[in-house]
Amino acid sequence: MRRIAVLNQKGGVGKTTTTVNLAAALAEAGRTVCVLDLDPQAHATTHLGLEPSEDRPSIYDILVASTPINQARVEVSPGLSAVGSDINLAAAEVELAGVVGRELLLRDALQQDSAQFDYLLMDCAPSLGVLSLNALAAATEVFIPLQPHFFALHGFGKLLETTALVARRINPGLRVTGVVVCLYDSATKLAHEVCRDIEAFLEKSRASNVPWAEARVFETRIRRNVKLAECPSFGQSIFQYAPKCPGADDYRKLAGEVMAQESLAVRAAA
């Protein structure tokens, strides 16, 4: 099972949109996928059509009350399941402050869960607090969605530093394996320049012993598309809302690249 944390400390870069629609694209392609919403804003939960319920535990209960994951997991469509979030998760940072090993709570919960999926996608909060640390401690990979703007380069460096710290102290197997360019406008010179700078930076890291040494910028660019902005308000993925729009095409292509990484890994190990 590939455990992927979708992480960016900056909001509004397409993180939740990428988590939900990549998950839906992978499920459409026949993979089994589970989404964990680790953001107190619960945007991924809403995007997937789940409403908070007192009868159904959330990720908050898993982290704070040690509730088993299978009691909170819901199948939202064929091949796609989710563990939702709610506003209570905002209090988790404070409630877990005195808990020993609080960064490992999610990893421990996943180890006790018998369900197996091809992919586990974790939608992280737009911060680098204990919730995101739990995702990084439980993950094997990190995908970084970013908008091709100047300030994205500064935030990108901070994210890489954080993954290096987690890999060194908590999760030695953690690797940054993909950068997803979102809200892309091919008509702007800046978008091309930012993508080129990130690719050049990653290329220089190939021979170094850092978690992002094998990271790549996915060739698929997620273009600006109003349908991608509309579908969350209907509690639907882009494939339910507008399956033939450019946004759906982009996420299908991105899913193809993500699945292709598996065959590359197999060939490298052979």
Side-chain angles (χ1 to χ4, degrees):
M1 176 169 61
R2 292 176 65 181
R3 297 180 178 180
I4 303 171
V6 184
L7 178 68
N8 195 318
Q9 81 273 28
K10 187 178 184 302
V13 297
K15 177 179 57 62
T16 299
T17 299
T18 293
T19 303
V20 170
N21 290 303
L22 175 58
L26 291 167
E28 184 185 63
R31 301 298 199 269
T32 55
V33 189
C34 182
V35 171
L36 300 185
D37 189 353
L38 286 158
D39 187 345
Q41 298 176 97
H43 288 170
T45 303
T46 302
H47 202 330
L48 289 165
L50 295 177
E51 294 294 334
S53 171
E54 295 182 359
D55 299 327
R56 184 180 64 245
S58 70
I59 198 76
Y60 168 83
D61 299 287
I62 293 168
L63 296 177
V64 176
S66 301
T67 300
I69 288 181
N70 65 346
Q71 294 183 19
R73 187 170 47 239
V74 178
E75 185 175 30
V76 295
S77 63
L80 178 58
S81 298
V83 177
S85 176
D86 57 42
I87 193 61
N88 291 325
L89 193 60
E93 298 264 358
V94 175
E95 293 184 38
L96 296 175
V99 177
V100 176
R102 58 187 178 275
E103 299 89 353
L104 305 178
L105 293 171
L106 180 60
R107 186 183 72 180
D108 293 346
L110 289 170
Q111 288 175 343
Q112 296 168 17
D113 184 35
S114 60
Q116 289 296 312
F117 296 89
D118 296 318
Y119 294 88
L120 181 71
L121 297 181
M122 292 171 270
D123 185 37
C124 299
S127 68
L128 297 175
V130 69
L131 298 176
S132 294
L133 287 177
N134 263 272
L136 292 174
T140 54
E141 303 175 54
V142 178
F143 283 179
I144 300 176
L146 57 82
Q147 190 175 359
H149 285 178
F150 172 75
F151 288 117
L153 297 176
H154 292 269
F156 184 64
K158 180 64 175 177
L159 280 173
L160 295 181
E161 291 175 11
T162 300
T163 58
L165 184 63
V166 172
R168 187 163 60 248
R169 297 184 177 179
I170 301 175
N171 184 2
L174 184 66
R175 295 292 181 267
V176 180
T177 53
V179 176
V180 185
V181 178
C182 302
L183 298 165
Y184 184 73
D185 186 351
S186 61
T188 65
K189 181 180 179 181
L190 179 61
H192 293 284
E193 290 178 346
V194 171
C195 291
R196 188 167 60 247
D197 288 347
I198 292 174
E199 289 170 346
F201 172 83
L202 293 177
E203 194 59 37
K204 290 179 181 177
S205 305
R206 294 292 176 236
S208 57
N209 184 26
V210 292
W212 57 90
E214 298 178 3
R216 54 174 294 210
V217 180
F218 288 111
E219 293 181 9
T220 302
R221 309 293 195 240
I222 308 302
R223 295 165 287 178
R224 287 185 178 275
N225 180 237
V226 68
K227 298 297 184 183
L228 287 172
E230 292 173 353
C231 61
S233 62
F234 292 89
Q236 297 178 337
S237 75
I238 194 62
F239 305 102
Q240 297 166 308
Y241 182 71
K244 296 182 180 180
C245 75
D249 291 340
D250 291 345
Y251 277 108
R252 283 193 186 97
K253 291 176 183 176
L254 178 62
E257 288 193 65
V258 172
M259 290 185 288
Q261 288 178 321
E262 299 167 24
S263 58
L264 289 173
V266 170
R267 286 201 297 270

